Amino acid sequence: MVGGLLLLSVRSACGHAALSFPRPRNAIDGGLPPWSEWAYPCDASHQRAQCRISFCEDGKNCAGSCPISAHSGVPNALNASNGQSCYWFSNGCTIGCASCDGTSNHVGHGAQRFLYHGMDARTLVEKNLTLANPWNPPAGAMRLDEATRASLSIKANCANPTTNATICDPRLRTANTQAECGSADDFYFFSPWRAPGSAPVIDACGSAGGRFAGQGIGGAGAQFQNSSLARQGDKGSQLPAMPSHVTWKAGSDVEVAWTVMANHGGGYAYRLAPADAPLTEETFRKLPLDFVGKSILRWDGDSKTELQFEGWRTSVGTLPPGSMWSKNPIPSGLWEREGPGFEPVCAESEECKRWASGFGGEQGVCRCSGYSNLGPLLPNLEIVDLVQIPRHLKAGKYVLQWRWDCEESDQVWASCADVTIG
Ligand SMILES: *[C@@H]1O[C@H](CO)[C@@H](O)[C@H](O)[C@H]1NC(C)=O
Ligand SMILES: *[C@@H]1O[C@H](CO)[C@@H](O)[C@H](O)[C@H]1NC(C)=O
Ligand SMILES: *[C@@H]1O[C@H](CO)[C@@H](O)[C@H](O)[C@H]1NC(C)=O
Ligand SMILES: *[C@@H]1O[C@H](CO)[C@@H](O)[C@H](O)[C@H]1NC(C)=O
């Protein structure tokens, strides 16, 4: 029982992710302590907080909050060279609105709860029941607990949103996927992912801690640990350029990757901007990149442990019109809060199913489902794609933007990386 209760409290933590390759400007503090002194797993020189995967809700002890695979050849090895890149985002943003408010979260982290054949997760644990398919059970098996319906708030963050949801196909959705689009049950209707690219942002490269300068630390993980290089409320578009780590040829297909910590479903896109242009959404919308080939999950940065699969991509109902977006392929497994999701693309173990059913367990028992902030997934997993660099792009310095539009929260994550087209 203790495991079950602990799990419920952990599950209130919120979503974070960042570009892992190429290295983003948002990783600015990755070379400073405590991030430079952090490594996983623990060893003689990395003990307690220096090897603990953590989630800091108060802007303190964030060393192990955004780790990525160390690409060292050692299975499961992580480092914190990405600094706090996974805390750069925009909070309180819904589709078709002109601005974010930095605060609101209508349904993400909401009080709605689902029941499985009338039972909550605690009862399942008491009865020692593991769900056969906790991610996408047969229609009707998992239903909203009517006693929690009053907590639902299905609305935009502005009075007259200029769009309704364009993502209605259940296969493109990631949470509460069995609710009919636009119905009174479809409580993620105004979430950023439901009309990709149409939610506003606080900053196109994220805001440190997800809020406007001066708003301070907020709920839903809207916080940042101040360092000598970056502070809560800083704008990602104002971060200094980093040395470019890659040179890409115009017309070629190139690899990009991101790592999820807390997992709010939804989907993502990549865009480019000339490095000397204002790094705004308006600029990035002019150069959206197409995904090509299969989607890839890769563990430990090692192509020998990767899985290629048919991803879920769409260019319909997106902004800019025709731009290609890809669904986040990792189901969160947070069924009590999000209801049915979708099945993982890899085979998951019984232990992983037990975690998703509510039992808890060791971090790492799931390979391609769940979440990495105190969850069953290890952040040695990267979501890798090939994107196509336009054939006629002029050589020069560019900034690559990764934009993640969440479905389970009113949040948009972003990372920006320096690249060279040559
Ligand atoms: C940390 O991991 C990155 C790959 O994700 C790697 O390039 C870098 O060299 C590693 N840094 C250290 C100090 O091990
Ligand atoms: C609970 O279920 C698991 C998996 O089905 C089983 O291995 C275990 O023996 C059960 N425990 C009890 C106390 O029945
Ligand atoms: C959204 O849908 C509602 C209900 O069908 C409709 O009244 C409204 O005009 C739509 N809004 C937009 C911007 O299309
Ligand atoms: C972090 O920096 C912000 C912006 O300068 C400031 O408002 C906040 O008080 C700082 N937080 C701490 C804990 O020092």
Side-chain angles (χ1 to χ4, degrees):
M1 262 338 292
V2 172
L5 290 173
L6 178 68
L7 181 66
L8 293 177
S9 63
V10 162
R11 283 178 170 197
S12 69
C14 84
H16 296 80
L19 196 60
S20 56
F21 183 83
R23 186 166 191 240
R25 289 182 181 184
N26 310 72
I28 186 164
D29 41 22
L32 300 175
W35 301 281
S36 59
E37 292 166 349
W38 190 95
Y40 176 94
C42 303
D43 59 23
S45 52
H46 301 93
Q47 298 286 318
R48 291 179 289 277
Q50 292 187 326
C51 54
R52 190 183 305 131
I53 299 171
S54 63
F55 191 81
C56 50
E57 293 275 10
D58 55 2
K60 295 189 189 107
N61 306 314
C62 300
S65 291
C66 312
I68 54 174
S69 166
H71 290 199
S72 58
V74 179
N76 301 343
L78 311 171
N79 71 37
S81 63
N82 235 13
Q84 292 182 90
S85 49
C86 74
Y87 286 101
W88 295 77
F89 68 107
S90 298
N91 204 23
C93 319
T94 57
I95 60 174
C97 291
S99 56
C100 309
D101 64 16
T103 303
S104 303
N105 238 313
H106 287 111
V107 275
H109 322 98
Q112 78 282 346
R113 288 290 175 268
F114 281 77
L115 299 173
Y116 181 79
H117 289 303
M119 293 175 279
D120 60 14
R122 184 182 301 198
T123 306
L124 291 173
V125 170
E126 276 166 6
K127 292 182 184 291
N128 198 24
L129 289 176
T130 305
L131 307 193
N133 184 343
W135 303 283
N136 198 19
M142 214 174 256
R143 286 180 186 277
L144 185 69
D145 180 353
E146 289 300 329
T148 65
R149 185 180 286 279
S151 75
L152 293 180
S153 170
I154 308 179
K155 61 179 184 184
N157 276 354
C158 58
N160 296 299
T162 57
T163 185
N164 280 320
T166 58
I167 298 289
C168 278
D169 183 344
R171 288 169 304 179
L172 288 171
R173 283 155 54 190
T174 54
N176 194 21
T177 52
Q178 293 178 4
E180 189 191 330
C181 185
S183 71
D185 281 355
D186 186 10
F187 49 79
Y188 295 124
F189 188 78
F190 290 104
S191 294
W193 172 243
R194 296 299 294 278
S198 82
V201 294
I202 293 175
D203 190 87
C205 298
S207 160
R211 312 191 76 199
F212 291 97
Q215 283 186 313
I217 284 175
Q223 50 79 32
F224 191 82
Q225 180 171 343
N226 292 343
S227 71
S228 59
L229 296 175
R231 303 173 77 80
Q232 169 101 24
D234 282 0
K235 290 184 163 166
S237 61
Q238 307 298 316
L239 282 167
M242 272 190 181
S244 160
H245 286 274
V246 286
T247 300
W248 290 334
K249 281 198 176 6
S252 66
D253 301 335
V254 301
E255 260 192 13
V256 290
W258 63 287
T259 293
V260 69
M261 287 300 293
N263 187 356
H264 287 324
Y268 57 99
Y270 289 92
R271 292 102 155 247
L272 285 173
D276 56 2
L279 299 181
T280 60
E281 273 294 300
E282 199 185 12
T283 311
F284 285 119
R285 279 179 188 168
K286 291 178 186 155
L287 264 175
L289 300 180
D290 280 350
F291 294 99
V292 288
K294 295 207 171 174
S295 298
I296 300 167
L297 293 182
R298 187 179 294 156
W299 292 266
D300 300 316
D302 181 354
S303 57
K304 287 198 224 61
T305 58
E306 72 175 29
L307 173 71
Q308 300 198 1
F309 61 99
E310 291 300 334
W312 297 267
R313 290 164 176 165
T314 186
S315 308
V316 178
T318 57
L319 206 68
S323 61
M324 203 187 282
W325 291 68
S326 194
K327 168 171 132 172
N328 171 359
I330 315 291
S332 76
L334 291 167
W335 68 267
E336 271 202 294
R337 195 166 82 191
E338 301 175 6
F342 60 101
E343 285 193 46
V345 295
C346 69
E348 289 289 26
S349 63
E350 281 305 307
E351 286 92 333
C352 175
K353 274 184 207 170
R354 275 179 85 72
W355 185 306
S357 301
F359 291 85
E362 287 283 308
Q363 181 152 20
V365 297
C366 297
R367 296 196 75 230
C368 65
S369 67
Y371 47 98
S372 304
N373 59 321
L374 313 177
L377 190 64
L378 271 176
N380 66 329
L381 172 64
E382 287 171 286
I383 299 161
V384 181
D385 290 278
L386 287 173
V387 291
Q388 190 167 53
I389 305 302
R391 193 175 304 277
H392 300 296
L393 199 58
K394 274 204 317 212
K397 292 185 170 166
Y398 288 80
V399 172
L400 175 77
Q401 179 211 37
W402 162 83
R403 171 175 164 148
W404 172 32
D405 281 16
C406 295
E407 182 167 15
E408 198 252 2
S409 64
D410 298 347
Q411 296 171 318
V412 175
W413 257 263
S415 299
C416 287
D418 291 277
V419 301
T420 306
I421 307 297

